[in-house]
Amino acid sequence: MSEFQAYLQLGFNHITDSLGYDHILFIMALCTVYTLIDWKKVIVLVTAFTIGHSITLALSTLGFVNVNPDWIELLIPVTIVITAALNFFYVVPKASFSPNEKSSQIRYPIALFFGLIHGLGFSNYLRTLLGKEADIVNPLLGFNIGLELGQLIIVFIILSIAFVMIELLRVQRVNWINILSGIIVGMSLSLIINNEFLQSLLA
């Protein structure tokens, strides 16, 4: 296995790891209001998130940005809570491809901005793998592509489940959004409350 392939697999495993489910929760929060028929909107949304985390992943790994990882680990679940909470205010359009879906426009800059924070979280993991390795371009590229492949699989699973629940089982879309968003908010708040860095700040 080449170095590129090794880091591609590490990136894929990192974002799909159920033990580190915070990034999975964020992607779920982004996609909760959509189903498979909204795939074009989701591609734009996920692309915004990808651009954000790719920028800080590269800058941080290359040493141009250095942020205390404790703050990042605290901020990541905060981004999840905010994103999921916004879902409660989402107005379901009357037509699936309505051009005037104003309630979702804010999601794109939010995905981009929060992607910057998640990129710093990815970089903390990648830097521990790299150690003092001289050539980091191939590992960085491979890791980032691995993240994207894992991310796309997660998105497809979430949208497929939503499609089954809403289009086939006829669950009210508003109910689906609120229930799933509530679960995500609850799990994310648990991550915040149990964050060791936050507890040390409040001690």
Side-chain angles (χ1 to χ4, degrees), residues 86-98:
L86 286 174
N87 293 339
F88 295 122
F89 303 96
Y90 179 80
V91 178
V92 178
K94 295 181 179 180
S96 297
F97 297 95
S98 171

Side-chain angles (χ1 to χ4, degrees), residues 53 95 105 111 180 193:
H53 75 63
Q105 291 177 354
L180 187 56
I193 294 171

